[in-house]
Amino acid sequence: MDKYFDVLIIGGGPAGLSAALSLVRGNKKVLLLDEGVGRNFPAAHMMNFLTREGTPPQEFRKLALNELEEYENFSLMKVLVDSLVGEDKYFVANGNLKGKKVLLAHGIRDQLPEIPGARELFGKSIFHCPYCHGYEYRNKAIGIMANEQIAQHLAPLIWGLSQNLVLFSNGLEITHHEAFKKKGIRIVEEKIEKFRHQGEKLEGVILTSGEFVELDALFLRPSLEFTSTIGLDLGCRVNSSGLYETDSMLMTSVNGVYAAGDIVEVRQSVVASCASGSFAGASINLALSREEFYGS
Ligand SMILES: Cc1cc2nc3c(=O)[nH]c(=O)nc-3n(C[C@H](O)[C@H](O)[C@H](O)COP(=O)(O)OP(=O)(O)OC[C@H]3O[C@@H](n4cnc5c(N)ncnc54)[C@H](O)[C@@H]3O)c2cc1C
């Protein structure tokens, strides 16, 4: 395989795939480097994306790759990128893959609480996003596990789906609970011992006192971390939300390195990642086209 490309895209999720499409349609030579583990892979289906409601996440990627492989300037390598350096006129990934520009689209990883059952149930009956999974649980017994600030954001959204709602602060004090109480939401400040489940189906939570609270689903807000430090190692700055700092063209603080998808978006979803990937691809195409046309 040729080692020289116009653009190296690191990450083949919705953002990287959409960027690749804009770039190959600009007739740029693209190498997509992807380890192949998407953030939404724990879920059986993706939702909130018109024309693709209920599509398994892996199937969505397969469909996208089938379309990209029709373009002669598109190449895919199933690999983890563990080194990225700037050298002369190129960025070099994994020691020998060279691109004039780089798009970081490596996504983020959800850090779940250390409660037995949380990891197994995440994406199955423990969720983080009401748009991805809430509708299927309307009028069912739903829990929210959150601190006060996050609960204030999530509770109105979930209450609109089901009024059979319990708020678990998991050991944290909830001080401003008048609004929750007025809506009849039970507040449990005791810690959760574990999640009880049958396979992938949540049955409820067991509190440290031994009390069992029956639930069909639970929403929480995992803390997030980048799946890779390659951009940080290169010197790309992050903003106050912990995401890559970018300019209006989605270029990071390192000249020639762009970022898209969950690593730049506060509103994280497949459709938002597709949009930012598509835009980043067009931005890179514009920069390369200008350099080729005017010289640089
Ligand atoms: C359980 C769950 C369910 C969800 N359901 C929905 C839903 O129904 N609808 C919706 O709109 N959104 C959903 N989301 C959110 C959605 O998954 C993300 O917003 C979206 O996948 C982000 O796309 P992305 O391209 O930025 O990153 P990702 O989809 O995470 O893709 C990143 C890719 O980069 C690769 N990668 C990472 N590091 C490297 C490296 N160093 N070298 C090479 N490759 C690398 C990864 O393997 C992966 O393939 C869900 C999220 C979760 C956690």
Side-chain angles (χ1 to χ4, degrees), residues 10-16 33-40 42-43 45-48 61 79-82 105-108 110 122-123 128 132-133 227-228 230 260-263 268-271 273:
I10 300 169
L33 296 153
D34 185 38
E35 190 194 7
V37 188
R39 184 179 174 205
N40 54 354
H45 308 107
M46 58 175 242
M47 307 301 287
N48 209 27
R61 287 183 175 215
V79 70
L80 173 81
V81 176
D82 55 15
H106 54 68
I108 57 176
D110 296 274
F122 187 57
H128 75 297
C132 306
H133 300 102
T227 54
S228 170
I230 46 174
D262 278 2
I263 54 177
Q268 294 164 340
S269 69
V270 174
V271 78
S273 291

Side-chain angles (χ1 to χ4, degrees), residues 54 97 101 153 172-173 176 191 200 272:
L97 302 166
K101 310 274 181 205
H153 171 73
L172 301 174
E173 197 187 351
H176 299 96
K191 277 201 156 190
E200 296 179 346

